Every structure is written in structure tokens, then in C-alpha cells.
Coordinates of all heavy atoms in Angstrom, one line a residue:
M12 N 67.3 51.5 -4.4 CA 66.3 50.9 -3.5 C 67.0 50.1 -2.4 O 67.9 49.3 -2.8 CB 65.4 50.0 -4.3 CG 64.2 49.5 -3.5 SD 63.1 48.4 -4.5 CE 62.5 49.5 -5.8
D13 N 66.7 50.3 -1.1 CA 67.4 49.6 -0.1 C 66.8 48.2 0.0 O 65.8 47.8 -0.5 CB 67.3 50.4 1.2 CG 65.9 50.4 1.8 OD1 65.0 49.8 1.4 OD2 65.8 51.2 2.8
R14 N 67.5 47.4 0.8 CA 67.2 46.0 1.0 C 65.8 45.8 1.5 O 65.0 44.9 1.1 CB 68.3 45.3 1.8 CG 68.1 43.8 2.0 CD 69.4 43.2 2.6 NE 69.2 41.9 3.1 CZ 69.1 40.9 2.3 NH1 69.3 41.0 1.0 NH2 69.0 39.6 2.7
E15 N 65.4 46.5 2.5 CA 64.1 46.4 3.1 C 63.0 46.8 2.2 O 62.0 46.1 2.1 CB 64.0 47.3 4.4 CG 62.7 47.1 5.2 CD 62.7 47.9 6.4 OE1 63.7 48.1 7.1 OE2 61.6 48.3 6.8
T16 N 63.2 47.8 1.4 CA 62.2 48.2 0.4 C 62.0 47.1 -0.7 O 60.9 46.8 -1.1 CB 62.6 49.6 -0.2 OG1 62.7 50.5 0.8 CG2 61.5 50.0 -1.2
S17 N 63.2 46.6 -1.1 CA 63.1 45.5 -2.1 C 62.4 44.3 -1.5 O 61.6 43.6 -2.3 CB 64.5 45.1 -2.5 OG 65.2 46.1 -3.1
M18 N 62.7 44.0 -0.3 CA 62.0 42.8 0.3 C 60.5 43.0 0.5 O 59.7 42.2 0.2 CB 62.7 42.6 1.7 CG 62.2 41.3 2.4 SD 62.8 39.8 1.5 CE 64.6 39.9 1.7
R19 N 60.2 44.2 0.9 CA 58.7 44.6 1.0 C 58.0 44.5 -0.3 O 56.9 43.9 -0.4 CB 58.6 46.0 1.6 CG 57.2 46.3 2.0 CD 57.1 47.6 2.7 NE 57.7 48.7 2.0 CZ 58.6 49.5 2.6 NH1 59.0 49.4 3.8 NH2 59.2 50.5 1.8
D20 N 58.7 45.0 -1.4 CA 58.1 44.9 -2.7 C 57.9 43.5 -3.1 O 56.8 43.1 -3.7 CB 58.9 45.7 -3.7 CG 58.3 45.8 -5.0 OD1 57.1 46.3 -5.1 OD2 58.9 45.5 -6.0
A21 N 58.8 42.6 -2.9 CA 58.7 41.2 -3.2 C 57.6 40.5 -2.4 O 56.8 39.7 -3.0 CB 60.1 40.5 -3.0
I22 N 57.5 40.9 -1.2 CA 56.4 40.3 -0.3 C 55.1 40.7 -0.9 O 54.1 39.9 -1.0 CB 56.6 40.6 1.1 CG1 57.9 39.9 1.7 CG2 55.4 40.2 2.0 CD1 58.3 40.4 3.0
F23 N 54.9 42.0 -1.2 CA 53.7 42.5 -1.7 C 53.3 41.8 -3.0 O 52.1 41.4 -3.2 CB 53.8 44.0 -2.1 CG 53.8 45.0 -1.0 CD1 53.9 44.6 0.3 CD2 53.7 46.3 -1.3 CE1 53.8 45.5 1.4 CE2 53.6 47.3 -0.3 CZ 53.7 46.9 1.1
T24 N 54.3 41.5 -3.9 CA 54.0 40.8 -5.1 C 53.5 39.4 -4.9 O 52.5 39.0 -5.5 CB 55.3 40.8 -6.0 OG1 55.6 42.2 -6.3 CG2 55.1 40.0 -7.3
V25 N 54.2 38.7 -4.0 CA 53.8 37.3 -3.6 C 52.4 37.3 -3.0 O 51.6 36.5 -3.4 CB 54.8 36.7 -2.7 CG1 54.3 35.4 -2.1 CG2 56.1 36.4 -3.4
I26 N 52.1 38.2 -2.1 CA 50.8 38.2 -1.5 C 49.7 38.5 -2.5 O 48.7 37.9 -2.5 CB 50.7 39.2 -0.3 CG1 51.6 38.7 0.9 CG2 49.3 39.5 0.2 CD1 51.8 39.7 2.0
S27 N 50.0 39.5 -3.3 CA 49.0 39.9 -4.3 C 48.7 38.7 -5.3 O 47.5 38.4 -5.6 CB 49.5 41.1 -5.1 OG 48.6 41.5 -6.1
R28 N 49.7 38.1 -5.8 CA 49.6 37.1 -6.8 C 49.0 35.8 -6.2 O 48.1 35.2 -6.7 CB 50.9 36.8 -7.5 CG 50.8 35.9 -8.6 CD 52.1 35.7 -9.4 NE 53.1 35.1 -8.5 CZ 54.3 35.7 -8.2 NH1 54.6 36.9 -8.7 NH2 55.1 35.2 -7.3
H29 N 49.5 35.4 -5.1 CA 49.2 34.1 -4.5 C 47.8 34.1 -3.8 O 47.1 33.1 -3.8 CB 50.3 33.6 -3.6 CG 50.2 32.2 -3.2 ND1 50.5 31.2 -4.1 CD2 49.7 31.6 -2.1 CE1 50.3 30.0 -3.6 NE2 49.8 30.2 -2.3
F30 N 47.5 35.2 -3.2 CA 46.2 35.3 -2.4 C 45.2 36.2 -3.1 O 44.1 36.5 -2.5 CB 46.5 35.8 -1.0 CG 47.4 34.8 -0.2 CD1 48.7 35.1 0.0 CD2 46.9 33.6 0.3 CE1 49.6 34.3 0.7 CE2 47.7 32.8 1.0 CZ 49.0 33.1 1.2
A31 N 45.4 36.6 -4.3 CA 44.5 37.4 -5.1 C 44.0 38.6 -4.4 O 42.8 39.0 -4.3 CB 43.3 36.5 -5.5
I32 N 44.9 39.3 -3.7 CA 44.6 40.6 -3.1 C 45.2 41.7 -4.0 O 46.4 41.7 -4.3 CB 45.3 40.7 -1.7 CG1 44.7 39.5 -0.8 CG2 45.1 42.0 -1.0 CD1 45.4 39.4 0.5
P33 N 44.4 42.7 -4.4 CA 44.9 43.7 -5.2 C 46.1 44.4 -4.6 O 46.1 44.8 -3.4 CB 43.7 44.7 -5.3 CG 42.5 43.8 -5.1 CD 43.0 42.8 -4.1
R34 N 47.1 44.6 -5.3 CA 48.4 45.1 -4.8 C 48.2 46.5 -4.2 O 48.8 46.9 -3.2 CB 49.4 45.2 -5.9 CG 50.8 45.5 -5.4 CD 51.8 45.4 -6.5 NE 53.0 46.0 -6.1 CZ 54.1 45.3 -5.7 NH1 54.0 44.0 -5.6 NH2 55.2 45.9 -5.3
E35 N 47.3 47.3 -4.8 CA 47.1 48.7 -4.2 C 46.4 48.6 -2.8 O 46.5 49.6 -2.1 CB 46.3 49.5 -5.2 CG 44.9 49.0 -5.5 CD 44.8 48.0 -6.6 OE1 45.8 47.6 -7.2 OE2 43.7 47.6 -7.0
K36 N 45.9 47.5 -2.4 CA 45.3 47.4 -1.1 C 46.4 46.9 0.0 O 46.1 46.9 1.1 CB 44.1 46.4 -1.1 CG 43.0 47.0 -1.9 CD 41.8 46.1 -1.7 CE 40.6 46.8 -2.4 NZ 39.3 46.1 -2.1
I37 N 47.5 46.5 -0.5 CA 48.6 46.0 0.4 C 49.5 47.2 0.8 O 50.0 47.9 0.0 CB 49.4 44.9 -0.3 CG1 48.4 43.8 -0.7 CG2 50.4 44.4 0.7 CD1 49.1 42.7 -1.6
R38 N 49.6 47.4 2.1 CA 50.4 48.5 2.6 C 51.3 47.9 3.8 O 50.9 47.0 4.4 CB 49.6 49.6 3.1 CG 48.8 50.3 2.0 CD 48.0 51.5 2.5 NE 47.3 51.4 3.8 CZ 46.1 50.9 3.9 NH1 45.4 50.5 2.9 NH2 45.5 50.8 5.1
P39 N 52.5 48.5 4.0 CA 53.4 48.0 5.0 C 52.8 47.9 6.4 O 53.2 47.0 7.2 CB 54.6 48.9 5.0 CG 54.5 49.7 3.7 CD 53.0 49.7 3.3
E40 N 51.9 48.9 6.7 CA 51.4 48.9 8.1 C 50.3 47.9 8.4 O 49.9 47.7 9.5 CB 51.0 50.3 8.5 CG 49.7 50.8 7.7 CD 50.0 51.4 6.3 OE1 51.2 51.4 5.9 OE2 49.1 51.9 5.7
L41 N 49.8 47.3 7.3 CA 48.7 46.3 7.5 C 49.2 45.0 8.1 O 50.3 44.6 7.7 CB 48.0 46.0 6.1 CG 47.2 47.1 5.5 CD1 46.7 46.7 4.2 CD2 46.1 47.6 6.4
T42 N 48.4 44.4 8.9 CA 48.8 43.1 9.5 C 48.3 42.0 8.5 O 47.4 42.3 7.7 CB 48.2 42.9 10.9 OG1 46.8 42.8 10.8 CG2 48.6 44.0 11.8
F43 N 48.7 40.8 8.7 CA 48.2 39.7 7.9 C 46.7 39.5 8.3 O 46.0 39.2 7.4 CB 49.1 38.5 8.2 CG 50.5 38.7 7.7 CD1 51.5 38.9 8.6 CD2 50.8 38.7 6.4 CE1 52.8 39.1 8.2 CE2 52.1 38.9 5.9 CZ 53.1 39.1 6.9
A44 N 46.4 39.7 9.5 CA 44.9 39.6 9.9 C 44.1 40.7 9.2 O 43.0 40.4 8.7 CB 44.8 39.8 11.4
D45 N 44.7 41.9 9.0 CA 43.9 42.9 8.2 C 43.6 42.5 6.8 O 42.6 42.9 6.2 CB 44.8 44.2 8.1 CG 44.9 44.9 9.4 OD1 44.1 44.7 10.4 OD2 45.9 45.7 9.6
L46 N 44.5 41.6 6.3 CA 44.3 41.1 4.9 C 43.5 39.8 4.9 O 43.3 39.2 3.9 CB 45.6 40.9 4.2 CG 46.5 42.1 4.0 CD1 47.8 41.8 3.4 CD2 45.7 43.1 3.0
D47 N 42.9 39.4 6.1 CA 42.2 38.2 6.2 C 43.0 37.0 5.9 O 42.4 36.0 5.4 CB 40.9 38.2 5.4 CG 39.9 39.3 5.9 OD1 39.8 39.5 7.1 OD2 39.2 39.9 5.0
L48 N 44.3 37.0 6.2 CA 45.1 35.8 6.1 C 45.1 35.1 7.4 O 45.5 35.7 8.4 CB 46.5 36.2 5.6 CG 46.6 36.9 4.3 CD1 48.0 37.2 3.9 CD2 46.0 36.0 3.2
D49 N 44.8 33.9 7.5 CA 44.8 33.1 8.7 C 46.1 32.4 8.9 O 47.0 32.5 8.1 CB 43.6 32.1 8.8 CG 43.6 31.1 7.7 OD1 44.7 30.9 7.0 OD2 42.6 30.4 7.5
S50 N 46.2 31.6 10.0 CA 47.5 30.9 10.3 C 47.9 30.0 9.2 O 49.1 29.8 8.9 CB 47.4 30.2 11.6 OG 46.4 29.3 11.7
V51 N 46.9 29.3 8.6 CA 47.2 28.4 7.5 C 47.8 29.2 6.3 O 48.8 28.8 5.6 CB 46.0 27.6 7.0 CG1 46.3 26.8 5.8 CG2 45.5 26.7 8.2
A52 N 47.3 30.4 6.0 CA 47.8 31.2 4.9 C 49.2 31.7 5.2 O 50.0 31.8 4.3 CB 46.8 32.4 4.7
L53 N 49.5 31.9 6.5 CA 50.9 32.4 6.9 C 51.9 31.3 6.6 O 53.0 31.5 6.1 CB 50.9 32.8 8.3 CG 50.2 34.1 8.7 CD1 50.5 34.5 10.1 CD2 50.6 35.2 7.7
V54 N 51.5 30.0 6.9 CA 52.4 28.9 6.6 C 52.6 28.8 5.0 O 53.7 28.6 4.6 CB 51.8 27.6 7.1 CG1 52.6 26.4 6.6 CG2 51.8 27.6 8.7
E55 N 51.5 28.9 4.3 CA 51.5 28.9 2.9 C 52.4 30.0 2.3 O 53.2 29.8 1.4 CB 50.1 29.0 2.3 CG 49.9 28.7 0.9 CD 48.5 28.7 0.5 OE1 47.6 28.4 1.3 OE2 48.3 28.9 -0.8
L56 N 52.2 31.2 2.9 CA 53.1 32.4 2.5 C 54.6 32.1 2.7 O 55.4 32.3 1.9 CB 52.7 33.6 3.3 CG 53.5 34.9 3.1 CD1 53.5 35.3 1.6 CD2 53.1 36.0 4.0
A57 N 54.9 31.5 3.9 CA 56.3 31.1 4.2 C 56.8 30.2 3.1 O 57.9 30.3 2.6 CB 56.4 30.5 5.6
V58 N 56.0 29.2 2.7 CA 56.5 28.2 1.7 C 56.7 28.9 0.4 O 57.7 28.7 -0.3 CB 55.4 27.1 1.6 CG1 55.7 26.2 0.4 CG2 55.4 26.2 2.9
V59 N 55.7 29.8 0.0 CA 55.8 30.5 -1.3 C 57.1 31.4 -1.3 O 57.8 31.4 -2.3 CB 54.6 31.2 -1.6 CG1 54.7 32.1 -2.8 CG2 53.4 30.3 -1.8
L60 N 57.3 32.1 -0.2 CA 58.5 32.9 -0.1 C 59.8 32.1 -0.3 O 60.7 32.5 -0.9 CB 58.5 33.7 1.2 CG 57.5 34.8 1.3 CD1 57.5 35.4 2.7 CD2 57.7 35.9 0.3
Q61 N 59.8 31.0 0.4 CA 61.0 30.1 0.3 C 61.2 29.6 -1.2 O 62.3 29.6 -1.7 CB 60.8 28.9 1.2 CG 61.1 29.2 2.6 CD 61.1 28.1 3.6 OE1 60.6 28.2 4.7 NE2 61.5 26.9 3.2
E62 N 60.1 29.2 -1.8 CA 60.2 28.6 -3.1 C 60.5 29.7 -4.2 O 61.3 29.5 -5.1 CB 58.9 27.9 -3.5 CG 58.7 26.6 -2.7 CD 57.4 25.9 -3.0 OE1 56.5 26.5 -3.7 OE2 57.2 24.8 -2.5
E63 N 59.7 30.8 -4.2 CA 59.8 31.8 -5.2 C 60.9 32.8 -5.1 O 61.5 33.3 -6.0 CB 58.5 32.6 -5.4 CG 57.3 31.7 -5.8 CD 56.1 32.5 -6.2 OE1 56.1 33.7 -6.3 OE2 55.1 31.8 -6.3
L64 N 61.3 33.1 -3.8 CA 62.3 34.1 -3.6 C 63.6 33.5 -3.0 O 64.5 34.2 -2.6 CB 61.8 35.2 -2.6 CG 60.5 35.9 -3.1 CD1 60.1 36.9 -2.1 CD2 60.7 36.6 -4.4
D65 N 63.6 32.2 -2.8 CA 64.7 31.5 -2.2 C 65.1 32.1 -0.9 O 66.3 32.3 -0.6 CB 65.9 31.5 -3.2 CG 67.0 30.5 -2.9 OD1 66.6 29.5 -2.3 OD2 68.2 30.8 -3.1
L66 N 64.1 32.3 -0.1 CA 64.3 32.8 1.3 C 64.0 31.7 2.3 O 63.1 31.0 2.2 CB 63.3 34.0 1.6 CG 63.5 35.2 0.7 CD1 62.4 36.2 1.0 CD2 64.8 35.9 1.1
D67 N 64.9 31.7 3.3 CA 64.6 30.7 4.4 C 63.9 31.5 5.5 O 64.5 32.2 6.3 CB 66.0 30.2 4.9 CG 65.8 29.2 6.1 OD1 64.6 28.8 6.3 OD2 66.8 28.8 6.7
V68 N 62.6 31.3 5.5 CA 61.8 32.0 6.5 C 61.5 31.2 7.7 O 60.8 31.6 8.6 CB 60.5 32.6 5.9 CG1 60.8 33.6 4.9 CG2 59.6 31.5 5.3
T69 N 62.1 29.9 7.8 CA 61.8 29.1 8.9 C 62.4 29.6 10.2 O 61.9 29.3 11.3 CB 62.4 27.7 8.7 OG1 63.8 27.8 8.4 CG2 61.7 27.0 7.5
E70 N 63.4 30.4 10.1 CA 64.0 31.0 11.3 C 63.3 32.3 11.8 O 63.7 32.9 12.8 CB 65.5 31.3 11.1 CG 66.3 30.0 10.8 CD 66.2 29.1 12.0 OE1 66.4 29.5 13.1 OE2 66.1 27.9 11.7
V71 N 62.4 32.8 11.0 CA 61.7 34.1 11.2 C 60.3 33.8 11.8 O 59.5 33.1 11.2 CB 61.6 34.9 10.0 CG1 60.8 36.2 10.2 CG2 62.9 35.2 9.4
D72 N 60.1 34.3 13.0 CA 58.7 34.2 13.6 C 57.9 35.4 13.2 O 58.3 36.5 13.5 CB 58.8 34.1 15.1 CG 59.5 32.8 15.6 OD1 59.3 31.8 14.9 OD2 60.2 32.8 16.6
F73 N 56.8 35.1 12.6 CA 55.8 36.2 12.3 C 54.4 35.7 12.5 O 54.1 34.5 12.3 CB 56.0 36.8 10.9 CG 55.8 35.9 9.8 CD1 54.6 36.0 9.1 CD2 56.8 35.0 9.3 CE1 54.4 35.2 8.0 CE2 56.5 34.2 8.2 CZ 55.4 34.3 7.5
L74 N 53.6 36.6 13.0 CA 52.2 36.2 13.4 C 51.2 37.0 12.6 O 51.6 38.0 12.0 CB 52.0 36.5 14.9 CG 53.1 35.9 15.9 CD1 52.9 36.5 17.3 CD2 52.9 34.4 15.9
M75 N 50.0 36.6 12.7 CA 48.9 37.4 12.0 C 48.9 38.8 12.5 O 48.5 39.7 11.7 CB 47.6 36.7 12.3 CG 47.5 35.4 11.6 SD 46.0 34.4 11.8 CE 44.8 35.6 12.4
E76 N 49.3 39.1 13.7 CA 49.3 40.5 14.2 C 50.4 41.3 13.8 O 50.5 42.5 14.0 CB 49.2 40.4 15.8 CG 48.0 39.8 16.4 CD 48.1 38.3 16.4 OE1 49.2 37.7 16.4 OE2 47.0 37.6 16.4
D77 N 51.4 40.7 13.2 CA 52.6 41.4 12.6 C 52.2 42.1 11.3 O 51.3 41.7 10.6 CB 53.7 40.5 12.4 CG 54.4 40.0 13.6 OD1 54.4 40.7 14.6 OD2 55.0 38.9 13.6
S78 N 52.9 43.2 11.1 CA 52.6 43.9 9.8 C 53.5 43.3 8.7 O 54.5 42.7 9.0 CB 52.9 45.4 10.0 OG 54.3 45.6 10.1
I79 N 53.1 43.6 7.5 CA 53.9 43.2 6.4 C 55.2 43.9 6.4 O 56.3 43.3 6.1 CB 53.1 43.5 5.1 CG1 51.8 42.7 5.1 CG2 54.0 43.1 3.9 CD1 50.8 43.1 4.0
G80 N 55.2 45.1 6.8 CA 56.5 45.8 6.9 C 57.4 45.2 7.9 O 58.7 45.2 7.7
R81 N 56.9 44.7 9.0 CA 57.7 44.0 10.0 C 58.4 42.8 9.4 O 59.5 42.5 9.7 CB 56.9 43.7 11.2 CG 57.6 43.0 12.3 CD 58.7 43.8 13.0 NE 59.3 43.1 14.0 CZ 60.6 43.1 14.2 NH1 61.4 43.9 13.5 NH2 61.2 42.4 15.1
L82 N 57.6 42.0 8.7 CA 58.2 40.8 8.1 C 59.3 41.2 7.1 O 60.4 40.6 7.1 CB 57.1 40.0 7.3 CG 57.6 38.8 6.5 CD1 58.3 37.8 7.4 CD2 56.5 38.1 5.8
A83 N 59.1 42.3 6.3 CA 60.2 42.7 5.4 C 61.4 43.2 6.2 O 62.5 42.8 5.8 CB 59.7 43.9 4.6
E84 N 61.2 43.8 7.4 CA 62.3 44.2 8.2 C 63.1 43.0 8.7 O 64.3 43.0 8.7 CB 61.8 45.0 9.5 CG 61.3 46.4 9.2 CD 60.7 47.0 10.5 OE1 61.0 46.5 11.6 OE2 59.9 47.9 10.3
L85 N 62.4 42.0 9.2 CA 63.0 40.8 9.7 C 63.8 40.1 8.6 O 65.0 39.6 8.9 CB 61.9 39.8 10.3 CG 61.3 40.3 11.6 CD1 60.1 39.3 11.9 CD2 62.2 40.3 12.7
L86 N 63.2 39.9 7.5 CA 63.9 39.2 6.4 C 65.1 40.0 5.9 O 66.2 39.5 5.5 CB 63.0 38.9 5.2 CG 61.9 37.9 5.6 CD1 60.9 37.8 4.4 CD2 62.5 36.5 5.9
A87 N 65.0 41.4 5.8 CA 66.1 42.2 5.3 C 67.2 42.3 6.3 O 68.4 42.5 5.9 CB 65.5 43.6 4.9
A88 N 66.9 42.2 7.5 CA 67.9 42.3 8.6 C 68.9 41.2 8.6 O 70.1 41.4 9.1 CB 67.3 42.5 9.9
D89 N 68.6 40.0 8.1 CA 69.4 38.9 8.2 C 70.3 38.9 7.0 O 69.9 38.7 5.8 CB 68.6 37.6 8.2 CG 69.4 36.3 8.4 OD1 70.7 36.4 8.2 OD2 68.8 35.3 8.7
P90 N 71.6 39.0 7.1 CA 72.6 39.1 6.0 C 72.6 37.8 5.2 O 73.1 37.8 4.1 CB 73.9 39.4 6.7 CG 73.8 39.0 8.1 CD 72.3 39.2 8.4
A91 N 72.2 36.7 5.8 CA 72.2 35.4 5.0 C 71.1 35.4 4.0 O 71.0 34.5 3.1 CB 72.0 34.3 6.0
R92 N 70.2 36.3 4.0 CA 69.0 36.3 3.1 C 69.4 37.2 1.9 O 69.5 38.2 1.6 CB 67.8 36.8 3.8 CG 67.2 35.8 4.7 CD 66.0 36.3 5.4 NE 65.3 35.4 6.3 CZ 65.8 34.8 7.3 NH1 67.0 35.0 7.7 NH2 65.1 34.0 8.1

């Protein structure tokens, strides 16, 4: 499994568990807005990713219009992560 796929899987797990969204409904092409996550939820997601996955997402800009796959790409692309 490559780094991006692993990152995407971890993000799916966090979103599913933390926001009570069935994992089978989460797909890489969906945006955070598609999942009805607002800007407050995105901040919360960033905090959870930092705490649970030990990821520094403060340097990564992502918006409600971004896809989950895009966030995984951004996090996987940084060798420090």
C-alpha cells in the first residue's frame, strides 16, 4: 500500500469514527461539504488528525470544497509526515 492510500485510509477512519459517517459513504472524490462538514468541523478534523495520527496539518490548507483524496495527497506529499 502506498503512502497516499495509507493516508486516505487513515483519514476515512477518523472521519467515520469522529463524525459518525458510515465508512462506506466516504469516497476520495467527495468534498468535505458533500459530507456536510462545515468550517468548524474542518478545524476539529485537523485537531483530531494531529492528535490521533501525529500529523502536523497546520501547514496544509484545505477547504470544504477540497476532496478527501486531495487532503490525503497533500499530507502524503510532505516527507516530514
Side-chain angles (χ1 to χ4, degrees):
M12 187 180 301
D13 68 10
R14 184 167 169 77
E15 186 178 326
T16 302
S17 296
M18 189 67 66
R19 187 173 54 234
D20 189 52
I22 293 168
F23 283 11
T24 299
V25 168
I26 290 172
S27 178
R28 188 177 59 242
H29 195 74
F30 297 103
I32 298 171
R34 190 173 168 99
E35 62 273 3
K36 291 189 176 191
I37 303 170
R38 296 186 315 275
E40 67 275 6
L41 292 178
T42 67
F43 297 102
D45 292 335
L46 295 174
D47 292 326
L48 298 179
D49 61 14
S50 58
V51 174
L53 291 187
V54 171
E55 195 173 334
L56 175 61
V58 170
V59 172
L60 289 172
Q61 284 184 216
E62 290 175 353
E63 293 189 13
L64 303 178
D65 196 29
L66 295 172
D67 182 9
V68 295
T69 57
E70 299 298 319
V71 176
D72 291 326
F73 63 101
L74 307 169
M75 289 176 22
E76 297 80 24
D77 286 333
S78 70
I79 298 167
R81 177 67 180 139
L82 176 59
E84 287 173 21
L85 290 171
L86 292 173
D89 186 344
R92 289 179 174 59

